[in-house]
Structures are given as C-alpha cells and as structure tokens.
Amino acid sequence: LLGLDKFEKEVMGKVKEQDGITQSTLKLRVKMSKAKLSSVLSSLENKGLIKRESFKKTLRVHLSLNW
C-alpha cells in the first residue's frame, strides 16, 4: 500500500474485505461522495490495483490480478 493516499488505502481495504463489492455499497462503507469515490477508483484502476465491471445499474469492484 506504499504510494497510496489515505482515501486509496481505505478503498483498497474495503475491496480486499469484499472482492466484487458494488460501487454503490462501497460508497456507503467509505463514506465518500460519489464523485470522490469515482476519482479514487479511477486512480486505483490506472495503477492496476483494481478493475471495475458493469453490474446492473452500478459497477462491481474487484482486486486486480496485479494486487
């Protein structure tokens, strides 16, 4: 988790606890705005740590194989 900011670390911890968590549930667990969470998830995705997949009207968040 080196090189991650506090928001990224918090999100990674929650995704690690529940791989495949929906983005809407994750938003409730980390208590971030939708915009902030989206930004954090984009950053983590760009770093190759997570991947997002469409699920109904939201997205599921998974740990990347690189993690």
Side-chain angles (χ1 to χ4, degrees):
L1 295 175
L2 293 174
L4 301 181
D5 67 26
K6 68 178 185 174
F7 300 109
E8 292 170 329
K9 287 178 184 176
E10 183 178 9
V11 168
M12 285 298 293
K14 297 299 180 189
V15 175
K16 188 174 179 184
E17 286 175 12
Q18 185 181 343
D19 191 39
I21 190 170
T22 63
Q23 192 165 319
S24 54
T25 300
L26 184 57
K27 179 176 135 340
L28 297 173
R29 298 236 174 112
V30 295
K31 297 180 176 78
M32 288 181 199
S33 70
K34 187 175 179 178
K36 178 63 177 176
L37 179 59
S38 182
S39 173
V40 171
L41 290 172
S42 291
S43 175
L44 291 171
E45 201 167 30
N46 289 336
K47 292 176 181 179
L49 298 175
I50 63 154
K51 59 183 178 178
R52 293 184 272 187
E53 66 177 7
S54 295
F55 177 74
K56 298 183 183 180
K57 292 185 178 182
T58 187
L59 296 170
R60 285 199 183 270
V61 182
H62 296 277
L63 294 174
S64 169
L65 296 177
N66 299 334
W67 170 251

